[in-house]
Amino acid sequence: LDWLTQEGGIPVPAREAWAAADLTSARSRAITMAGDLADMAAADPETVGLATLRLRGLADAAGLDLLDDGTAQADQGSLTAALAGVLHDTVLPILLGPGGAGFVRRVGPLAATPLGQMQSLVSRSDQFAARPVGQRLERGVLEWLFPAACGAELPASTRLTPADRLRGEVAIHLADQLPRMRPLATWVSLAEGADLRTVKPWFATAWPVEALVPLLDIFGDRLPPELWLGTVKAMPDAPALTAFCRRLVGTTWSPSPYAGQAVVAVAELRLLDQQWWRREHPEISKAVLGGSAAMTAPAIPFAPRVERDVQLAMIMAVLDPQVLNGNAQHLAGLAPLIEGRRFALPADVWDAVASYTSRVPTPDLVAGLASTDPELDLRSTPEQARWAWLGAITRDGVGLVRSLVKHRLTGQDAPNAATLVDQLKELPTRQPVADPRARERQLAAWVKELLPVRERGLGRLFGGAG
């Protein structure tokens, strides 16, 4: 016993150094030692357990158990069976007990064959299977049994094999740190009847569609739709995602859970054509509603193209609120996507925006620009705040709304300055207007700065203003 449990392990000669006769003799002695260890187990199970694992490692390294293939005398018994019996009776209870982690630290790493035997013994234990999922073994014991983690492939069915159950326990302990382990952890948890609260934290990040679909096929009735939302929001475009979104859009949800409707709205957003804004009737409302629904998972970022689509839909919806059919409240939650964020519109996107906003009356467009100018002292209303969101968006270095207004005022049907000034005079201010004529001159000067250079000198454009 002292030799087997000495500090630093036991010396093991290379297998090639053993003669056949030596192997036979050593095997016989090892079987005797296994019997002796079994007799001593009750007095000091941890020391006997350590000695048995050392003997198991020695037998593996020397090839002693290779003689268990039937060439040995029947009365000599099986070394493999003898060692397995002692391991089952001594080491297994320690691993399943409260001191398992301390014991495996004393044992240290195992070679492949004894490690595989311990994995099999643990996974086939009735006591292991009877415990609640995620609470079956101490983490230190799991790390000892799987020093290089374990395979993350999903089980073949919900009727788990002992090996699947043990792998699932490892996955549950690693799921917080290793996203690739979350599908296996979820599968085993649900197959074992664990509470849904066990799996919810693992959906705090987006999952690959390929990992999510098998779970939904089997456990879809137990997974609330909000758990899928991050994947639909954040995954890059791919045929698998498109097929998944089509599946969601084609699903009839119960009217009660808003989360289910949110997933459908985001799926519809993801199904928009990659250049939906080029069409004559862009699906602005669908993009805004989908973007708003996606914000119910605020910690998960949009896929870059989807964020661009939602930003573009917001721009168009601010310029023409009618397209939202009374759903303008959804814009407020999306404000962080454009508010104070500087970015320049590409030429083709600018053309789409300019073409779309041709339906917005010029006075409304000018009033929107005026609401973003602090010198005009306009009251901050929700509608004016939405126009201010566009302040950092530029085209050729010029603010988007100013560019649109200047573009509009170059047209043949541009209104005269007096009309624009009259419109601006109706907008509320933070402070009452003390001098209406001074206010009118201020607005006229502001409008004059908007007009093309060739028009600025034409007093007729201003009528009686200023």
Side-chain angles (χ1 to χ4, degrees):
L1 187 64
D2 291 340
W3 179 73
L4 285 171
T5 58
Q6 63 183 289
E7 289 292 330
I10 56 177
V12 181
R15 183 177 298 188
E16 295 77 9
W18 294 67
D22 294 334
L23 286 173
T24 301
S25 173
R27 176 183 175 279
S28 179
R29 291 177 60 192
I31 292 176
T32 301
M33 293 174 70
D36 294 340
L37 289 170
D39 293 339
M40 294 184 287
D44 189 352
E46 285 205 10
T47 301
V48 169
L50 172 60
T52 306
L53 285 168
R54 292 273 178 84
L55 184 56
R56 169 70 269 185
L58 173 62
D60 177 56
L64 301 183
D65 48 358
L66 296 178
L67 300 179
D68 284 346
D69 61 1
T71 61
Q73 296 296 321
D75 60 354
Q76 289 181 297
S78 165
L79 175 59
T80 301
L83 290 172
V86 184
L87 292 173
H88 179 276
D89 294 341
T90 58
V91 176
L92 183 59
I94 296 172
L95 299 182
L96 293 169
F103 173 73
V104 298
R105 282 195 298 270
R106 182 182 177 191
V107 173
L110 296 181
T113 299
L115 183 62
Q117 186 171 5
M118 292 313 305
Q119 291 171 354
S120 178
L121 281 174
V122 170
S123 67
R124 295 178 183 279
S125 164
D126 292 340
Q127 186 179 357
F128 171 81
R131 290 179 175 177
V133 64
Q135 303 175 40
R136 289 168 165 161
L137 286 175
E138 293 180 338
R139 180 164 182 151
V141 175
L142 289 168
E143 291 173 345
W144 178 73
L145 288 171
F146 291 91
C150 64
E153 63 275 7
L154 296 181
S157 77
T158 57
R159 298 186 65 179
L160 302 176
T161 67
D164 287 335
R165 188 173 285 116
L166 181 56
R167 286 193 311 115
E169 195 72 8
V170 176
I172 290 167
H173 280 265
L174 295 178
D176 290 341
Q177 292 80 33
L178 295 179
R180 69 179 181 85
M181 304 303 296
R182 292 172 187 172
L184 173 60
T186 302
W187 184 289
V188 172
S189 296
L190 295 177
E192 296 278 72
D195 191 283
L196 187 63
R197 288 174 293 183
T198 301
V199 308
K200 276 188 173 182
W202 302 328
F203 288 84
T205 57
W207 287 32
V209 177
E210 295 78 4
L212 185 59
V213 169
L215 282 163
L216 295 184
D217 289 340
I218 302 299
F219 303 108
D221 59 333
R222 295 179 57 190
L223 293 172
E226 67 263 25
L227 300 186
W228 319 344
L229 190 137
T231 293
V232 182
K233 177 181 180 181
M235 281 295 101
D237 294 318
L241 178 65
T242 299
F244 183 58
C245 290
R246 286 176 178 156
R247 173 179 172 180
L248 297 182
V249 169
T251 300
T252 302
W253 298 105
S254 166
S256 55
Y258 170 73
Q261 301 299 330
V263 172
V264 172
V266 182
E268 290 180 332
L269 164 64
R270 295 307 305 263
L271 290 174
L272 290 176
D273 182 86
Q274 290 213 15
Q275 292 190 327
W276 57 268
W277 37 268
R278 284 179 172 273
R279 296 200 295 272
E280 183 178 353
H281 300 290
E283 298 184 67
I284 299 171
S285 181
K286 189 176 291 186
V288 170
L289 294 179
S292 175
M295 296 299 279
T296 59
I300 300 177
F302 284 96
R305 182 193 63 89
V306 182
E307 180 170 329
R308 182 214 65 181
D309 284 356
V310 176
Q311 289 170 334
L312 180 57
M314 289 184 67
I315 292 170
M316 292 179 169
V318 170
L319 297 172
D320 183 12
Q322 300 302 315
V323 301
L324 292 182
N325 299 317
N327 290 319
Q329 73 274 12
H330 290 283
L331 284 173
L334 292 171
L337 296 182
I338 59 175
E339 188 175 29
R341 296 180 60 176
R342 305 195 66 82
F343 55 91
L345 289 181
D348 55 347
V349 177
W350 155 256
D351 291 341
V353 171
S355 174
Y356 181 76
T357 54
S358 63
R359 69 191 69 190
V360 180
T362 301
D364 292 347
L365 198 59
V366 174
L369 176 60
S371 71
T372 67
D373 191 325
E375 294 186 4
L376 296 184
D377 194 39
L378 297 173
R379 184 183 305 154
S380 177
T381 65
E383 183 178 353
Q384 291 164 357
R386 287 198 290 272
W387 286 90
W389 295 344
L390 309 183
I393 303 172
T394 61
R395 184 249 180 171
D396 295 336
V398 179
L400 169 65
V401 184
R402 183 173 292 273
S403 295
L404 289 169
V405 170
K406 284 183 171 290
H407 177 74
R408 180 71 58 81
L409 293 179
T410 61
Q412 294 297 320
D413 56 347
N416 63 47
T419 300
L420 299 180
V421 171
D422 288 342
Q423 166 106 17
L424 296 176
K425 284 162 55 178
E426 300 301 317
L427 295 177
T429 57
R430 286 192 293 272
Q431 299 294 329
V433 176
D435 186 344
R437 290 191 60 80
R439 175 64 172 174
E440 187 172 3
R441 287 193 295 271
Q442 179 193 30
L443 296 174
W446 185 84
V447 168
K448 183 177 180 181
E449 287 298 314
L450 293 177
L451 296 173
V453 174
R454 63 184 177 82
E455 301 287 2
R456 289 182 183 174
L458 302 179
R460 63 180 179 82
L461 288 175
F462 288 91

